[in-house]
Amino acid sequence: MRVNGVSFRSIWYDKEEKSVRIIDQRWLPYEFRTVPLKTRKDFAIAISDMWVRGAPLIGATAAYAIAEEMAFDPSNKNLESAWIQLNETRPTAINLRWALTRCKNALEILPENARAVAAMNLAHDIAEEDVAMNQKIGMYTLDLIKKLVVKKPNGAPVNILTHCNAGWLATVDWGTATSGMYQAHDAGIPIHIWVDETRPRNQGGLTSWELGSHGIPHTYITDNAGGHLMQHGKVDMVIVGTDRTTASGDVCNKIGTYLKALAAFDNDVPFYVALPSPTIDWTVTDGVKEIPIEERPALEVSQIMGISPNKKLETVQITPLGTETGNPAFDVTPNRLITGLITERGIAKASSNGLMSLFPEFKGKK
Ligand code: MRU
């Protein structure tokens, strides 16, 4: 997507610099900074400290980390230890384990001297595949938006609520939940997005920045506003992303997603989840019981960063000093609350049968 008229992806290989570069998302939406990642430690910190974030982007970053590791030391021992260290950086987003395992399986059968080139090609493939999957997800989302717009009076916009940032910054490009928003806007369909703030990391600020850069009308709201807006008919549809979806269609996503799904269910508002298939964990069925929920540092809750009146980027304490603080980063929305899962192969019912109808090759695979 474009930043001040220049095309960017969230991660890329800089041929001149001979290193991977990312948009350092810690500073957004206030400052746009890019940084190179060179060593395994750089990559591990970038993932765990959320310089990069969002399940698909985390997966692509891990693949590039393996590629750089193979250029440094292509031995089995190094491949194994890189897999372990990187896999521990974030526990919930399954794309991380998916990408690492795909790289490991492809590389360990190759002679060591062929691994560096193969690993970099594979990282590029994973990145390109993510872009293509998200573009297709956007096409299916666009069909849903088209069905809603004809029901709106006098060219009124379709109001879509989204939680967290499932935009191009959370993927390699396009985004998952946002892909259809970009495609609808580009097709001239009037849309308006309710952007949840998404405390404590305020990923809504990233969504707002993205949508604003693309000229999409949107309103930033507190996390508690969605239910009220739905009660008053101001939300036509909810679309969120996911960090891990079970084989039975339970959806794990940023904390607060479950409450939005409950409110949508109670108000008959369609609740869709947009996901590229690497986000499906075919080994688990009960999301609430089986998906590990990341507990993130307390400082993310007790402090907040923003621009002060004198235009300085500052961090302030917002809780009484010494207050006990909890920070579960994700929650699970049971499949019964979900209208549909928008994948690159079409829209599935959030159920085992629904997913199997689109991905029959995973039948019986654990
Ligand atoms: O903790 P984060 O910022 O990595 O979590 C991101 C989300 O929860 C996204 O909504 C999810 O990864 C879907 S991304 C397309």
Side-chain angles (χ1 to χ4, degrees):
M1 306 304 282
R2 290 181 167 268
V3 179
N4 297 328
V6 180
S7 276
F8 272 94
R9 285 187 172 177
S10 57
I11 189 165
W12 66 97
Y13 187 78
D14 186 318
K15 285 187 185 144
E16 274 169 34
E17 193 182 44
K18 292 195 174 49
S19 76
V20 175
R21 242 180 202 270
I22 56 159
I23 297 171
D24 185 345
Q25 299 189 24
R26 287 174 301 166
W27 310 105
L28 286 174
Y30 313 108
E31 292 173 13
F32 183 79
R33 298 190 197 177
T34 71
V35 283
L37 300 179
K38 295 187 180 212
T39 66
R40 190 202 298 187
K41 195 171 163 208
D42 291 345
F43 280 93
I45 291 174
I47 297 173
S48 61
D49 291 357
M50 290 170 65
W51 306 14
V52 289
R53 33 150 308 282
L57 176 57
I58 291 170
T61 307
Y64 278 112
I66 293 287
E68 294 291 34
E69 274 300 290
M70 290 297 92
F72 167 65
D73 169 5
S75 67
N76 279 348
K77 194 169 160 222
N78 194 43
L79 182 55
E80 182 69 28
S81 82
W83 190 100
I84 292 170
Q85 186 185 351
L86 291 160
N87 190 49
E88 281 168 357
T89 50
R90 295 202 67 189
T92 302
I94 195 62
N95 307 54
L96 175 61
R97 189 180 77 198
W98 169 84
L100 288 170
T101 304
R102 179 167 165 189
C103 293
K104 185 166 169 288
N105 290 346
L107 298 171
E108 63 193 2
I109 54 172
L110 297 178
E112 287 189 4
N113 63 6
R115 288 181 183 176
V117 171
M120 188 52 83
N121 287 338
L122 184 50
H124 291 326
D125 286 351
I126 286 173
E128 290 303 330
E129 287 168 21
D130 183 62
V131 177
M133 285 188 283
N134 296 331
Q135 189 175 12
K136 285 196 183 135
I137 286 168
M139 285 161 45
Y140 292 113
T141 310
L142 176 60
D143 289 342
L144 293 173
I145 296 173
K146 281 181 179 164
K147 283 183 190 143
L148 289 171
V149 79
V150 292
K151 295 185 194 157
K152 303 290 292 186
N154 307 327
V158 175
N159 288 301
I160 304 171
L161 184 142
T162 192
H163 190 71
C164 193
N165 171 256
W168 69 266
L169 289 166
T171 64
V172 179
D173 210 347
W174 283 104
T176 56
T178 57
S179 180
M181 299 173 193
Y182 291 124
Q183 295 190 32
H185 180 78
D186 291 351
I189 296 173
I191 56 170
H192 165 264
I193 315 299
W194 297 109
V195 178
D196 279 356
E197 172 185 38
T198 320
R199 279 273 295 144
R201 292 286 298 228
N202 295 1
Q203 284 96 334
L206 303 177
T207 306
S208 188
W209 179 79
E210 277 192 25
L211 296 175
S213 307
H214 203 81
I216 298 183
H218 63 280
T219 307
Y220 187 91
I221 51 173
T222 66
D223 291 325
N224 297 324
H228 162 77
L229 294 171
M230 290 183 211
Q231 284 176 325
H232 289 270
K234 293 186 173 168
V235 182
D236 298 305
M237 168 194 214
V238 179
I239 313 178
V240 297
T242 168
D243 297 85
R244 191 187 300 214
T245 289
T246 70
S248 61
D250 290 346
V251 164
C252 182
N253 191 48
K254 182 54 56 188
I255 192 79
T257 302
Y258 171 48
L259 293 177
K260 292 292 129 59
L262 283 172
F265 193 76
D266 196 43
N267 289 282
D268 280 329
V269 173
F271 184 95
Y272 285 95
V273 181
L275 69 156
S277 56
T279 313
I280 305 169
D281 183 349
W282 299 99
T283 69
V284 296
T285 47
D286 186 328
V288 175
K289 285 198 185 128
E290 295 176 271
I291 297 178
I293 300 296
E294 178 177 15
E295 183 72 28
R296 294 213 36 105
L299 281 181
E300 292 183 352
V301 174
S302 59
Q303 298 186 343
I304 200 158
M305 187 176 82
I307 297 283
S308 67
N310 57 0
K311 306 249 179 318
K312 278 207 175 122
L313 199 52
E314 283 177 9
T315 298
V316 294
Q317 177 80 17
I318 57 168
T319 56
L321 287 172
T323 301
E324 184 103 9
T325 310
N327 189 8
F330 301 95
D331 61 25
V332 172
T333 299
N335 55 12
R336 67 187 164 81
L337 300 175
I338 298 163
T339 312
L341 302 173
I342 312 171
T343 77
E344 73 275 15
R345 292 195 193 167
I347 302 178
K349 273 212 158 74
S351 66
S352 308
N353 287 344
L355 281 171
M356 278 305 155
S357 68
L358 291 186
F359 299 94
E361 68 270 33
F362 288 98
K363 207 171 180 103
K365 285 204 179 147
K366 265 245 163 192

